[in-house]
Amino acid sequence: MFPEVFTDIYSDYTIRNITLGATVLGLVSGSLGTFAVLRRQSLLGDSISHAVLPGIILAFMLTGSRDPLILILGAAIVGWLATLSIMAIVNTTRIKQDASLALVLSVFFGFGMVLMTFVQRQPDAAAAGLSRFLFGQAAAIIWDDVRTMLIIGSLALAILFVFWKEFKLVVFDRAFALSLGMPVQRFDVLLTSLLVIAIVIGLQTVGVILMSAMVVTPAAAARQWSDRLGVVTILAGGFGALAGVSGALISAYTARMPTGPTIVICLTAIVLFSLILAPNRGLLWAWVRQHRQSRDIRSRVVLGDLYWLSQQHEGVDHGHSMAALEAMSAGRVAVDHGLEDLERAGLAQRIDGDHWTLTEKGRQLAVSDLNDEDQDQRDA
Amino acid sequence: MLSLTAGQMEVQIVAIVVAVACALVGVFLVLRQMAMMSDAITHSILPGIVVAFFLVQDLSSPFLIIAAAATGVLTVSLVELLNRTRLVREDAAIGIVFPALFSIGVILIARFAGGIHLDLDVVLLGEIAFVPFNRTTLFGVDLGPTALVMMTIILIINLLFITLFYKELKLATFDAGLAAALGFSPALIHYGLMSLVSVTAVGAFDAVGAILVVALIVGPPVTSYLLTDRLWVMLALSAGIGVLIAVSGYWMARGLDASIAGSMATMTGVIFMVAYLLAPGRGLIALAFRRRRQRWEFAGTMLAIHLLNHEGLPSAEQENRVDHLQEHLNWDSDFAERAVRHAERHQTVVRQNRHLYLTEKGRQRAREAIVR
């Protein structure tokens, strides 16, 4: 299948467009989404993507054109209005961000539906081209769409690149940026506008509902792999593009597999993989660390107990029964496993059957443990 | 035009019941700052509905509601699980979970529900006008449209939950720490509430579709939040606003021959705007008035203090003149003139030629301001 995929991307018009479109979209929304997630505006993307519906339809009603550029322009203007409304409500009332997002999302979308019924009444089935913005229809993407996405997307990324330092400062140290006399609010607005752009160019591929995943999920995945903004942004763009390509191809070669949802499932797989396996932050490593730590504590407890027992007897080689050790630890730790770990580390040895004693190395370690403990107590 | 057929009447009654049921649970979502959870739940219950539909093959089965409610609770748990790893923040967790579940739902429909009646548009956008065609009968008696029967039951459940656990809900909403200390389980109330939201959302699906459930859940509470500080008033007001939205939305849709659900959401926005502008004490207009009044009051106090400082001193001749205020208080001449006129109207200052003299009331006010 694989060689066939490559020739198809090269020669098959539809597959080439879909793949290219999904890649550009993933790249742009992934890298711009990083800032949204870091600014705790993850759900702003969801709100904007729903709210642009009336913009798309109004643009169509006013111009009668289905040129992607015009529809995108309409969407961007209304997306902007929606963002301003959200900010105005939060700033002038006691209504919180979440409620403000949900209200604007649903009211704008509802108004879009009202407009949609007007368009649908027209005889030429013009609405068919518009409803794909709702759920996304990657198969309908033509070269014109891809070109528009490419141009607008690279413009957005170029702006991000040019103002990189400023954006970084505004996101991470607002107070410092303000003290430098930077127009912080203007950069805020610029960042949000870039987000609006990323969202509107993705609408016809994945649709309004899934667009929020394109913004949030790559960034959340990328965040697990690095603490550096540059790396996270590039990774997020890469994850977005990867999910875009694989989702587009899977859906192209599988019958009845919608593109948008497939891309989102690929993204979800990437984020789950990252959450579990990313070095340092990953859940698996955290679990391994914790397990190792509790094993370490277990053997130290048994080591200490064994040392204490050996102090009570004359002969160094005197063996101590496991039962005695178990009584000492009083069920706090699994003594048998602890002893096995000690034996493996060469700290304790078994003397006939169930009796144990420390090796010389073990004795030294126990003494130094005790000294550390004393030191800690004195420090405290 | 104002005459209604029985079917139209039923549509309107269903709209009212849906709106009230949504508004009641919405109050707690908004107060607990979880409004976006309504958006997440309304989308993510899709796979639950689809799977249940595959099992029972009946779109109006109560089993669908149970499955969807379970998926809603699953969504909430998944968000909390992600949040608790501390690897992603809560808002990002919501943004990851619900599109994933929704995608699974869409793929399930696309792959396995090709020919059967489970249309994505209907699930998402709803069509309340079809409500009267699907009826419930019990022992041969027509009980009304299925949606009405279902939503009435859901409304009653919501009402019961809120009345029975009013105290607990109130405490857990406004002081979760105290609620936990007193032995109420915040988790139990949280999940109970989320189950209610899920059940309400599924019930409302039929009528208004997923996205507009959000308008009905969030719109009325947010609007009434601008109007009152008391929880029970907020609940009652929200229910009332819900009714208003349902009725006005229906008539707007009839007048324009447009989507009923869309019109209801639009009216939600209009009613919110009215409250936003006109709410007593908190609306934009009241705020603007208050700011203006405070500005002149402050200017009047400054003027009185300034006059009092120089009163009876040789410098008074120089200082206590309208044209001098410009220099001393850094007011431009227009502002100074208006401030003096405002003060004259409130009888704290009298003007003779260009000179200003405090009245007894003005002196009083200046002294009070200084002491404070």
Side-chain angles (χ1 to χ4, degrees):
Chain A
M1 174 183 167
F2 268 105
E4 185 192 325
V5 169
F6 290 116
T7 47
D8 280 354
I9 291 178
Y10 186 69
S11 60
D12 187 311
Y13 177 79
T14 314
I15 291 183
R16 190 180 57 206
N17 284 342
I18 296 175
T19 316
L20 206 60
T23 315
V24 174
L25 162 66
L27 186 71
V28 176
S29 60
S31 32
L32 290 171
T34 307
F35 286 88
V37 170
L38 289 175
R39 292 160 86 205
R40 306 191 180 206
Q41 292 185 334
S42 301
L43 294 174
L44 182 63
D46 186 41
S47 204
I48 293 174
S49 63
H50 283 84
V52 297
L53 182 66
I56 296 171
I57 297 170
L58 269 179
F60 173 74
M61 288 169 83
L62 291 177
T63 64
S65 148
R66 254 186 284 172
D67 182 343
L69 198 62
I70 290 175
L71 298 186
I72 283 178
L73 200 68
I77 294 171
V78 174
W80 235 92
L81 268 179
T83 315
L84 288 185
S85 316
I86 292 165
M87 284 174 0
I89 293 173
V90 173
N91 289 337
T92 55
T93 68
R94 54 178 176 167
I95 296 167
K96 304 291 184 305
Q97 169 105 359
D98 63 312
S100 168
L101 285 172
L103 181 75
V104 168
L105 172 162
S106 54
V107 169
F108 274 59
F109 188 86
F111 184 57
M113 280 179 57
V114 171
L115 293 179
M116 184 87 106
T117 39
F118 292 138
V119 176
Q120 273 164 348
R121 230 176 283 151
Q122 292 175 357
D124 58 348
L130 296 178
S131 68
R132 69 177 178 160
F133 278 94
L134 272 184
F135 306 112
Q137 192 182 358
I141 287 186
I142 55 171
W143 174 244
D144 266 6
D145 298 322
V146 177
R147 199 183 47 203
T148 312
M149 286 167 85
L150 264 173
I151 295 171
I152 300 180
S154 11
L155 202 70
L157 288 183
I159 296 176
L160 182 66
F161 186 73
V162 170
F163 293 113
W164 176 260
K165 215 167 50 187
E166 285 81 359
F167 286 151
K168 192 173 176 176
L169 199 55
V170 168
V171 170
F172 286 109
D173 200 342
R174 214 183 162 75
F176 183 55
L178 276 169
S179 77
L180 288 180
M182 272 171 57
V184 169
Q185 261 180 340
R186 235 174 279 170
F187 282 111
D188 266 347
V189 170
L190 188 58
L191 257 182
T192 309
S193 316
L194 291 182
L195 185 66
V196 172
I197 291 174
I199 287 167
V200 293
I201 65 171
L203 287 181
Q204 48 188 339
T205 312
V206 297
V208 298
I209 295 152
L210 298 176
M211 199 49 222
S212 73
M214 298 299 296
V215 172
V216 177
T217 314
R223 175 68 190 88
Q224 311 310 322
W225 297 87
S226 171
D227 288 332
R228 301 186 59 84
L229 181 64
V231 180
V232 172
T233 308
I234 292 171
L235 265 180
F239 285 157
L242 179 68
V245 180
S246 36
L249 287 178
I250 291 173
S251 81
Y253 287 96
T254 316
R256 295 201 304 273
M257 196 75 179
T259 314
T262 314
I263 296 177
V264 172
I265 295 297
C266 291
L267 274 177
T268 311
I270 293 176
V271 82
L272 284 180
F273 180 82
S274 307
L275 286 172
I276 294 170
L277 286 177
N280 290 326
R281 280 172 69 105
L283 292 174
L284 181 66
W285 307 132
W287 183 80
V288 167
R289 262 199 307 275
Q290 203 187 354
H291 186 70
R292 232 183 248 156
Q293 231 161 35
S294 62
R295 258 179 94 158
D296 200 41
I297 289 172
R298 184 175 66 194
S299 36
R300 286 304 167 91
V301 167
V302 177
L303 184 79
D305 288 350
L306 206 53
Y307 179 74
W308 190 86
L309 282 175
S310 75
Q311 294 295 95
Q312 315 302 314
H313 294 271
E314 295 285 306
V316 176
D317 297 332
H318 190 89
H320 306 282
S321 74
M322 184 135 49
L325 286 165
E326 260 160 11
M328 282 184 76
S329 76
R332 275 175 303 153
V333 294
V335 172
D336 44 351
H337 292 296
L339 282 170
E340 277 163 25
D341 288 344
L342 286 176
E343 188 179 23
R344 223 169 295 136
L347 298 169
Q349 59 196 11
R350 194 190 292 261
I351 298 174
D352 67 340
D354 257 358
H355 285 67
W356 293 75
T357 182
L358 287 175
T359 62
E360 186 49 36
K361 198 173 143 203
R363 197 179 324 280
Q364 275 165 14
L365 187 65
V367 171
S368 89
D369 269 4
L370 278 176
N371 286 341
D372 286 352
E373 244 169 66
D374 285 352
Q375 190 66 43
D376 287 348
Q377 268 165 13
R378 270 197 298 278
D379 288 349
Chain B
M1 172 170 168
L2 281 168
S3 66
L4 286 170
T5 65
Q8 288 166 332
M9 198 62 209
E10 277 171 358
V11 168
Q12 207 167 96
I13 292 172
V14 171
I16 290 173
V17 175
V18 169
V20 173
C22 288
L24 289 180
V25 287
V27 166
F28 292 99
L29 277 190
V30 167
L31 287 176
R32 295 161 74 95
Q33 296 188 32
M34 289 167 46
M36 279 307 272
M37 220 47 168
S38 66
D39 182 47
I41 288 179
T42 49
H43 287 105
S44 64
I45 50 185
L46 184 63
I49 295 182
V50 175
V51 170
F53 177 72
F54 287 158
L55 292 178
V56 298
Q57 297 287 321
D58 175 13
L59 205 53
S60 57
S61 155
F63 187 63
L64 256 64
I65 296 206
I66 297 168
T71 326
V73 175
L74 175 75
T75 311
V76 179
S77 327
L78 283 177
V79 168
E80 289 219 336
L81 192 70
L82 263 186
N83 195 25
R84 221 178 302 141
T85 63
R86 284 194 260 152
L87 295 178
V88 282
R89 295 207 189 94
E90 190 178 10
D91 59 333
I94 295 176
I96 293 170
V97 169
F98 89 79
L101 288 172
F102 184 79
S103 297
I104 294 174
V106 176
I107 291 175
L108 284 178
I109 291 180
R111 290 193 66 75
F112 306 114
I116 51 176
H117 173 69
L118 185 62
D119 196 358
L120 198 57
D121 287 39
V122 172
V123 174
L124 280 177
L125 308 179
E127 188 45 85
I128 199 168
F130 298 153
V131 156
F133 301 129
N134 198 349
R135 306 191 79 85
T136 295
T137 48
L138 192 64
F139 308 122
V141 183
D142 182 16
L143 289 179
T146 308
L148 182 58
V149 175
M150 209 150 85
M151 278 316 294
T152 309
I153 294 172
I154 292 173
L155 175 61
I156 291 171
I157 295 175
N158 285 355
L159 275 173
L160 273 180
F161 182 82
I162 291 173
T163 7
L164 284 180
F165 298 105
Y166 184 74
K167 207 170 46 192
E168 286 81 358
L169 276 168
K170 191 173 177 180
L171 194 59
T173 300
F174 292 107
D175 196 340
L178 181 62
L182 290 177
F184 300 119
S185 163
L188 201 65
I189 289 176
H190 176 74
Y191 282 104
L193 190 64
M194 286 302 146
S195 318
L196 275 197
V197 173
S198 308
V199 170
T200 312
V202 194
F205 250 146
D206 252 0
V208 293
I211 295 156
L212 300 168
V213 174
V214 178
L216 293 180
I217 287 183
V218 177
V222 161
T223 310
S224 56
Y225 196 39
L226 295 175
L227 301 171
T228 179
D229 284 330
R230 304 192 63 84
L231 181 59
W232 71 266
V233 180
M234 191 172 161
L235 282 163
L237 258 180
S238 296
I241 293 170
V243 174
L244 192 62
I245 288 172
V247 174
S248 60
Y250 179 79
W251 285 102
M252 174 185 159
R254 265 197 90 178
L256 298 174
D257 190 17
S259 140
I260 297 176
S263 303
M264 281 166 66
T266 309
M267 284 317 294
T268 308
V270 171
I271 292 168
F272 173 78
M273 276 307 287
V274 172
Y276 182 47
L277 292 176
L278 299 179
R282 286 202 192 86
L284 275 196
I285 293 176
L287 272 183
F289 266 109
R290 193 189 311 148
R291 273 212 195 107
R292 224 179 92 126
R293 204 186 60 230
Q294 282 171 340
R295 184 168 164 218
W296 293 119
E297 263 173 18
F298 182 73
T301 311
M302 289 291 289
L303 179 65
I305 292 173
H306 174 73
L307 296 179
L308 184 71
N309 264 341
H310 299 285
E311 199 171 44
L313 295 174
S315 59
E317 176 69 23
Q318 238 307 293
E319 295 277 349
N320 293 2
R321 292 153 53 103
V322 181
D323 38 3
H324 191 78
L325 297 175
Q326 214 167 319
E327 229 167 277
H328 203 116
L329 293 175
N330 209 6
W331 290 350
D332 65 41
S333 58
D334 184 43
F335 186 85
E337 183 58 39
R338 287 171 71 185
V340 170
R341 260 192 238 142
H342 185 266
E344 278 179 321
R345 253 200 320 278
H346 287 78
Q347 296 167 355
T348 55
V349 165
V350 283
R351 176 162 24 184
Q352 279 169 2
N353 298 323
R354 302 292 300 164
H355 276 89
L356 298 172
Y357 301 100
L358 279 173
T359 63
E360 194 44 51
K361 190 178 160 198
R363 240 168 256 132
Q364 188 70 28
R365 186 160 159 199
R367 285 200 197 98
E368 271 170 22
I370 293 170
V371 170
R372 226 186 289 149

